[in-house]
Amino acid sequence: MSDSLVQAVRGGVRLIELGQPFFTGMPCSPNHPGFRMTLARRHGDMMRPDGGSAAAEIIVTGGHVGTHIDALSHVSQNGMLHGGVDALAAQRGGAFSEHGAEQLPGFVCRGILLDIAAVHDTDVLPGGYEVTVRDLERAAEYAGVRVEPGDVVLIRTGWARGFDDPPAYLGSVTGVPGVGVAGAQWLAARDISATGADTTAYECLAPGAGHSVLPVHRVLLVENGIYILEHLALETLAAERLHEFVFVLAPLRIVGGTGSPVRPLAAVSR
């Protein structure tokens, strides 16, 4: 670590949570098994001779539940993963031999918040709203930033305000706002490293359509090798108008997996 970076950290850094808490019953895409946690061992179940006791839990979850990052093995197109990797061959044996979650990088880089709800002067975008190229450009102008190679770009729709109401948040009837194909191509053309949003699927879900078709995942993961984060919590950044920050993330190294639960953080000066 460089002396300047050490000094910057010693000068005082505030960490802002960008992820949702994990709890039994939290919203979950119908395509994935939900999160469950319970105590497998409780204090008092066994007492040590010196009076000590311990508690421990058991956790069961899908890899794409709660705040998480998609590995490049998550989506294929016409049988191929990113880089022309044969998906069927790569998944033999029950774990991916290529593009597994253990290959997900750690991130300490510039993060950018593009607050689409703010540029529309609303708290929450309507269900099924497609975030366009013009929306992204306006949000960048509003933030006073330019999207550059290597950035992690976070898209705020305001939809996470309904996270505690799973049926409304999943939006099976209303649809869910999100980035459209043209918007994803705009981001990819800027050579970003990852992008995420405060919704269950990142991309626009039309009313009544659910998760039937996810073309933005194809554009980002398969065609461009850009990682996707979902179920983000971006309200603090938006409320404080923190549009540029240090983005910090360390995925779990799940060998052969297709994604990882994560706890993303924004680091800003105190």
Side-chain angles (χ1 to χ4, degrees):
M1 185 180 290
S2 69
D3 290 343
S4 59
L5 186 54
V6 171
Q7 291 304 317
V9 173
R10 292 182 68 180
V13 172
R14 175 187 170 208
L15 296 178
I16 299 173
E17 297 279 357
L18 302 180
Q20 300 285 3
F22 288 78
F23 57 91
T24 300
M26 67 183 180
C28 173
S29 163
N31 292 339
H32 303 289
F35 178 90
R36 296 290 184 272
M37 190 284 287
T38 190
L39 293 178
R41 181 176 177 183
R42 301 163 298 174
H43 291 292
D45 286 346
M46 187 195 77
M47 298 294 293
R48 295 189 174 91
D50 63 356
S53 182
E57 67 272 69
I58 183 169
I59 297 171
V60 178
T61 185
H64 300 267
V65 178
T67 306
H68 67 276
I69 187 169
D70 294 345
L72 298 183
S73 56
H74 180 46
V75 170
S76 66
Q77 183 68 27
N78 299 322
M80 297 294 175
L81 302 174
H82 176 65
V85 173
D86 186 295
L88 293 181
Q91 70 186 4
R92 286 196 185 106
F96 278 90
S97 57
E98 296 189 62
H99 292 324
E102 78 280 8
Q103 297 178 20
L104 285 163
F107 294 86
V108 180
C109 62
R110 186 172 78 141
I112 290 175
L113 174 69
L114 296 185
D115 193 342
I116 311 302
V119 298
H120 283 276
D121 196 27
T122 185
D123 291 331
V124 184
L125 293 175
Y129 179 82
E130 179 180 332
V131 174
T132 66
V133 170
R134 182 57 184 148
D135 287 331
L136 297 171
E137 292 173 339
R138 288 180 61 199
E141 292 168 5
Y142 175 80
V145 299
R146 179 177 178 177
V147 178
E148 298 178 352
D151 288 345
V152 172
V153 179
L154 308 183
I155 309 297
R156 177 180 174 266
T157 69
W159 200 253
R161 291 183 171 216
F163 188 79
D164 291 333
D165 183 352
Y169 177 77
L170 294 176
S172 59
V173 175
T174 62
V176 179
V179 176
V181 168
Q185 292 169 336
W186 185 89
L187 290 168
R190 280 142 186 80
D191 197 25
I192 63 173
S193 59
T195 181
D198 53 354
T199 64
T200 182
Y202 180 83
E203 56 189 282
C204 175
L205 302 180
H211 295 69
S212 57
V213 180
L214 300 174
V216 167
H217 279 63
R218 166 183 52 81
V219 171
L220 295 175
L221 292 171
V222 181
E223 296 178 0
N224 291 283
I226 295 170
Y227 305 103
I228 300 173
L229 291 137
E230 292 159 334
H231 297 291
L232 293 175
L234 304 176
E235 294 305 294
T236 298
L237 290 181
E240 299 186 23
R241 297 194 176 186
L242 296 171
H243 297 107
E244 187 177 18
F245 45 89
V246 175
F247 180 81
V248 182
L249 182 72
L252 301 177
R253 300 185 68 193
I254 302 173
V255 176
T258 66
S260 168
V262 290
R263 185 183 182 183
L265 300 166
V268 298
S269 299
R270 287 191 181 279

